[in-house]
């Protein structure tokens, strides 16, 4: 019998607080934070060992923002609070519902937050969601009234008595903030940062390790927020206008799999002359099913693609020569972030070196390495549970099962914590052989420009011209600084020098003049950043505090009830964080 969905007695009159888990995040603490698992996707899983060349940035809690944008109740969002800031909020404001979103490793923080809500807001209902909802025995670990498993917008709409079939209102938000590389913080100027675009959640491919697929129904299941290319185009036009952007980071596990929607979007972009750039996730087989003209026409300029491993059995890689595909995409200016798994069933101490070399041989612009981790809710986790190979909590704490440290089960061939060495070796090998991801990205940008700068379609010419503008100055300066940084390393200096000469040849005298000037400053910031990192410097996001229209109206109607005043958006500069641009 299907469980009846809960409904809050106050409906849309309920006052709601939505919060991410509290920080700091890049620090070992009693609640489950780990220094090696910071709140930075790229530095955590992609450019982990690249030092000052690592891409540093943060991403908002987009799921909470989607919920806030789509409910009619007064709703406050507290993103990346400190523990003290969270306590202050629930002490100084009254809420009927407190929603907390988290990944599974942060379960200790969720438990603490639930305890604090019970203490300071005993009448509030607590709703917990996100990937943590897939944790087995979750109700025995945290004190929550409801667990929101799966898609949260429709769950909250039903909870508040709203029509859950109403159209989805997309939040107006940039994809990242506080971007930093080579010791330089990049300004948030119009057009510099992509908008976040969320067409769908879930992935019908359903790989056995994929927690996202498992969270939204598993293999064959997904939820479209926007079914058609026309709906998606309208959302993108609104994002373009309000955020003044030309690029979109498309948070969809396999965007191009929805072929009819993608091709209709292409038609509309052509009809309206939109020279947008799209950053997408896609499986290799789906990518290969499009012509390069379709991909370029759609503005696909960056793709996150699973490579998994040479002998993996995943259907999304069947009959695909991934090395040739990566090379082909890059030759057309499409940057590739490849994703490889360390610790598949067939990986052993004897073949792991070859497996890492195979991954590195793709020479992708960025490369993610993750351990083959069994996450609750996934088929892989169920397999290990049935076989009795899961490690107990006292041997492998949940906080450490984040894919960058150890297996949370007994691997058939890899024992004694060797996987920690193997994943670090993969990152180091990729960095040593292929160099900084920044240099690889510049190389691919340049290849695209040289191929398409004289393309007969003005829409395509304009996109490439816009995307490569930094190559003439800032990026050329970064390559000049790399050349100076790598002096003495013959193999790497040849790569960097060749790239710099190619930039000079392509863009001429202005680049030859400006590159050394900018490069000297960047060389200085690289040295300074390396010194900071050597001292143990970490990076933390600031705090966001935002109210929806209903919450603002409620506060204005009876200001006496709101004794604690906070700005709509507040930034807390961490003690160890550098000032912007420093």
């Amino acid at each position: 019998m299907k469980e009846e969905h809960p409904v809050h007695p106050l409906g849309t009159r309920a006052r709601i607080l939505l919060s991410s888990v509290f920080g700091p995040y890049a620090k070992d603490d009693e609640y489950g934070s780990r220094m090696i698992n910071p709140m930075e996707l790229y530095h955590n899983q992609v450019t982990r060992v690249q030092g000052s060349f690592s891409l540093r940035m943060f991403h908002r809690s987009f799921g909470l923002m989607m919920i806030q944008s789509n409910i009619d109740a007064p709703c406050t969002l507290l993103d990346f609070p400190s523990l003290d800031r969270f306590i202050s909020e629930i002490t100084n404001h009254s809420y009927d519902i407190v929603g907390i979103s988290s990944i599974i490793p942060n379960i200790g923080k969720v438990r603490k937050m639930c305890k604090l809500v019970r203490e300071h807001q005993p009448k509030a209902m607590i709703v917990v969601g996100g990937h943590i909802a897939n944790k087995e025995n979750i109700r025995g670990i945290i004190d929550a009234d409801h667990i929101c498993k799966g898609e949260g917008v429709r769950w909250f709409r039903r909870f508040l008595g709203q029509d859950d079939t109403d159209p989805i209102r997309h939040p107006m938000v940039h994809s990242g903030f506080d971007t930093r590389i080579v010791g330089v913080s990049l300004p948030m100027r119009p057009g510099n940062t992509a908008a976040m675009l969320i067409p769908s959640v879930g992935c019908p491919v359903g790989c056995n390790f994929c927690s996202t697929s498992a969270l939204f129904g598993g293999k064959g299941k997904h939820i479209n927020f926007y079914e058609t290319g026309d709906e998606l185009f309208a959302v993108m036009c609104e994002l373009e206008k309000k955020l003044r952007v030309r690029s979109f980071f498309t948070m969809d596990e396999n965007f191009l799999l929805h072929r009819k929607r993608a091709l209709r979007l292409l038609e509309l972009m052509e009809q309206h002359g939109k020279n947008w750039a799209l950053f997408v996730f896609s499986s290799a087989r789906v990518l290969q099913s499009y012509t390069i003209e379709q991909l370029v026409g759609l503005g696909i300029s960056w793709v996150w693609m699973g490579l998994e491993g040479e002998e993996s059995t995943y259907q999304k890689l069947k009959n695909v020569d991934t090395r040739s595909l990566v090379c082909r995409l890059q030759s057309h200016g499409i940057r590739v972030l490849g994703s490889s798994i360390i610790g598949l069933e067939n990986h052993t101490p004897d073949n792991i070196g070859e497996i890492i070399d195979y991954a590195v041989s793709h020479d992708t612009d960025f490369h993610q390495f993750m351990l083959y981790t069994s996450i609750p809710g996934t088929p892989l986790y169920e397999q290990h549970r049935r076989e009795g190979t899961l490690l107990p909590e006292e041997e492998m704490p949940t906080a450490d099962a984040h894919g960058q440290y150890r297996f949370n089960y007994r691997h058939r061939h890899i024992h004694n914590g060797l996987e920690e060495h193997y994943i670090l070796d993969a990152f180091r090998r990729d960095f040593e052989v292929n160099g900084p991801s920044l240099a690889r990205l510049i190389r691919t940008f340049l290849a695209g420009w040289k191929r398409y700068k004289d393309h007969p379609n003005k829409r395509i010419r304009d996109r490439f011209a816009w995307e490569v503008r930094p190559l003439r100055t800032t990026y050329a300066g970064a390559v000049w600084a790399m050349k100076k940084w790598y002096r003495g390393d013959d193999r790497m200096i040849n790569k960097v020098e060749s790239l710099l000469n190619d930039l000079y040849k392509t863009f001429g005298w202005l680049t030859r003049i400006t590159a050394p000037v900018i490069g000297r400053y960047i060389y200085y910031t690289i040295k300074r950043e390396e010194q900071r990192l050597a001292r143990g410097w970490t990076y933390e996001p600031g705090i966001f505090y935002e109210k929806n229209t209903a919450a603002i109206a409620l506060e204005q109607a009876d200001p006496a009830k709101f004794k604690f005043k906070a700005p709509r958006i507040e930034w807390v500069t961490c003690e160890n964080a550098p000032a912007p641009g420093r």
Side-chain angles (χ1 to χ4, degrees):
M1 183 176 179
K2 189 175 181 180
E3 184 179 349
E4 189 175 347
H5 195 280
V7 178
H8 196 280
L10 292 177
T12 56
R13 291 181 292 115
R15 292 161 296 181
I16 301 172
L17 172 67
L18 298 178
S19 181
S20 56
V21 297
F22 60 86
Y25 308 100
K27 176 182 178 181
D28 295 338
D29 68 16
E30 62 183 298
Y31 302 111
S33 282
R34 296 292 185 263
M35 184 173 287
I36 65 170
N37 189 34
M39 190 67 78
E40 299 178 72
L41 175 62
Y42 289 96
H43 184 63
N44 182 343
Q45 302 176 11
V46 181
T47 54
R48 180 175 167 184
V49 303
Q50 295 193 23
S52 59
F53 296 107
S54 182
L55 178 59
R56 317 292 298 264
M57 70 166 63
F58 303 105
H59 305 279
R60 292 293 307 277
S61 298
F62 300 118
L64 294 179
M65 298 187 78
M66 285 288 286
I67 294 170
Q68 187 190 40
S69 297
N70 284 279
I71 56 177
D72 297 334
C75 181
T76 298
L77 173 57
L78 185 58
D79 213 358
F80 311 121
S82 63
L83 181 57
D84 287 344
R85 181 63 184 83
F86 179 75
I87 293 172
S88 177
E89 183 65 24
I90 60 175
T91 301
N92 290 285
H93 285 108
S94 178
Y95 291 104
D96 303 300
I97 301 168
V98 177
I100 303 168
S101 178
S102 175
I103 58 173
I104 294 174
N106 285 326
I107 194 167
K109 293 192 171 187
V110 176
R111 182 168 53 229
K112 175 67 174 178
M113 294 171 79
C114 289
K115 183 179 178 181
L116 289 167
V117 174
R118 294 298 188 214
E119 178 183 344
H120 297 285
Q121 302 265 355
K123 294 182 180 179
M125 283 190 181
I126 301 175
V127 180
V128 170
H131 285 276
I132 196 174
N134 270 344
K135 174 72 174 171
E136 74 282 11
N137 191 32
I138 181 69
R139 292 184 180 276
I141 302 172
I142 63 172
D143 182 12
D145 296 290
H146 303 293
I147 305 298
C148 171
K149 186 173 182 178
E151 195 270 291
V153 171
R154 291 183 176 91
W155 191 98
F156 257 92
R157 281 178 167 176
R158 290 196 294 270
F159 187 46
L160 299 173
Q162 292 181 225
D163 186 347
D164 66 351
T165 64
D166 282 345
I168 296 293
R169 298 189 290 267
H170 200 288
M172 299 289 112
V173 59
H174 289 97
S175 61
F177 65 97
D178 278 5
T179 303
R180 184 178 180 83
I181 193 166
V182 293
V184 178
S185 294
L186 306 185
M188 284 282 288
R189 293 181 184 138
N192 271 17
T193 306
M196 177 54 62
L197 177 67
I198 310 174
S200 312
V201 290
C203 181
V205 175
C207 296
N208 68 330
F209 58 83
C210 182
S211 60
T212 303
S213 176
L215 184 65
F216 296 104
K219 191 176 183 65
K221 303 288 182 61
H222 67 280
I223 299 166
N224 282 337
F225 292 137
Y226 306 102
E227 292 283 350
T228 69
D230 295 82
E231 292 174 319
L232 199 57
F233 182 77
V235 170
M236 295 169 76
C237 286
E238 187 180 15
L239 287 164
E240 176 189 41
K241 181 179 179 180
K242 292 187 176 179
L243 297 181
R244 297 165 66 188
V245 297
R246 295 174 65 173
S247 56
F248 303 85
F249 192 105
T250 311
M251 185 62 74
D252 185 308
E253 290 291 313
N254 211 334
F255 175 71
L256 294 171
L257 185 62
H258 308 286
R259 189 178 185 87
K260 183 177 179 181
R261 183 177 66 186
L263 293 180
R264 175 56 180 161
L265 178 62
L266 171 58
E267 288 179 8
L268 291 167
M269 288 173 64
E270 289 174 338
Q271 288 174 18
H272 295 270
K274 296 297 185 182
N275 52 12
W276 293 333
L278 273 69
F279 309 152
V280 304
F281 296 80
S282 180
S283 59
R285 284 185 69 190
V286 170
L287 267 173
Q288 198 166 257
S289 71
Y290 287 77
T291 66
I292 201 68
E293 290 77 19
Q294 288 171 328
L295 294 176
V296 171
L298 263 170
I300 305 298
S301 63
W302 184 98
V303 61
W304 193 314
M305 178 173 66
L307 302 175
E308 319 314 1
E310 188 172 13
E311 297 180 9
S312 67
T313 58
Y314 297 107
Q315 287 297 308
K316 64 183 182 180
L317 296 168
K318 189 175 181 180
N319 299 324
V320 179
D321 181 343
T322 51
R323 282 185 286 199
S324 294
L325 177 59
V326 168
C327 185
R328 181 167 178 249
L329 293 171
Q330 289 174 325
S331 71
H332 288 268
I334 300 174
R335 290 97 73 202
V336 179
L337 193 162
S339 179
S340 295
I341 295 175
I342 301 296
L344 291 170
E345 288 90 344
N346 65 317
H347 292 184
T348 71
D350 292 333
N351 66 21
I352 195 70
E354 295 175 7
I355 286 161
I356 291 172
D357 286 344
Y358 172 76
V360 170
S361 71
H362 285 79
D363 195 12
T364 53
D365 301 88
F366 295 89
H367 210 126
Q368 177 193 43
F369 292 97
M370 291 290 287
L371 292 178
Y372 194 41
T373 303
S374 62
I375 300 174
T378 64
L380 181 62
Y381 186 90
E382 281 304 302
Q383 175 190 331
H384 283 290
R385 187 186 61 79
R386 289 194 307 269
E387 295 174 356
T389 50
L390 291 172
L391 296 176
E393 178 74 18
E394 56 270 20
E395 189 173 344
M396 182 62 188
T398 301
D400 290 318
H402 48 70
Q404 289 291 320
Y405 176 47
R406 298 278 180 86
F407 297 132
N408 59 348
Y409 58 91
R410 289 188 293 276
H411 194 279
R412 192 173 302 167
H413 306 294
I414 299 172
H415 311 292
N416 303 319
L418 284 174
E419 65 271 24
E420 182 182 8
H421 165 76
Y422 294 149
I423 194 167
L424 281 171
D425 187 50
F427 279 115
R428 291 185 185 118
R429 182 75 177 143
D430 179 62
F431 186 36
E432 290 167 359
V433 171
N434 297 320
S437 286
L438 178 59
R440 301 181 232 171
L441 174 146
I442 292 169
R443 177 193 63 195
T444 302
F445 264 138
L446 187 59
W449 168 247
K450 290 196 290 187
R451 183 181 286 269
Y452 287 102
K453 61 185 176 70
D454 298 318
H455 194 273
N457 187 326
K458 182 179 183 299
R459 188 176 68 89
I460 292 173
R461 286 199 314 274
D462 286 351
R463 174 170 71 83
F464 279 94
W466 159 64
E467 285 193 312
V468 304
R469 281 182 306 169
L471 293 188
R472 302 172 186 273
T473 53
T474 310
Y475 282 178
V479 178
W480 188 96
M482 288 181 209
K483 179 182 174 182
K484 187 172 178 64
W485 180 259
Y486 281 109
R487 62 186 183 278
D489 183 338
D490 292 340
R491 182 181 51 79
M492 195 56 65
I493 202 74
N494 288 336
K495 279 178 173 281
V496 175
E497 190 170 36
S498 175
L499 177 58
L500 185 61
N501 288 336
D502 204 357
L503 288 166
Y504 289 162
K505 182 179 178 181
T506 303
F507 297 116
W509 65 268
L510 181 61
T511 299
R512 286 183 180 273
I513 293 172
T514 57
V517 176
I518 295 171
R520 286 185 177 90
Y521 172 72
I522 293 177
Y523 178 71
Y524 162 73
T525 63
I526 289 171
K527 289 199 300 180
R528 186 180 56 191
E529 191 83 345
E530 291 289 343
Q531 291 167 358
R532 271 202 188 105
L533 294 170
R535 293 195 299 266
W537 175 80
T538 57
Y539 205 26
E540 297 282 350
I543 299 172
F544 287 81
Y545 183 77
E546 300 163 334
K547 296 178 181 292
N548 67 0
T549 302
I552 294 170
L554 183 65
E555 186 170 332
Q556 291 173 342
D558 194 355
K561 286 186 177 180
F562 297 89
K563 58 183 179 180
F564 177 77
K565 297 295 181 182
R568 192 149 183 244
I569 299 180
E570 63 183 60
W571 293 87
V572 175
T573 302
C574 301
E575 207 171 86
N576 57 355
R582 298 290 301 277

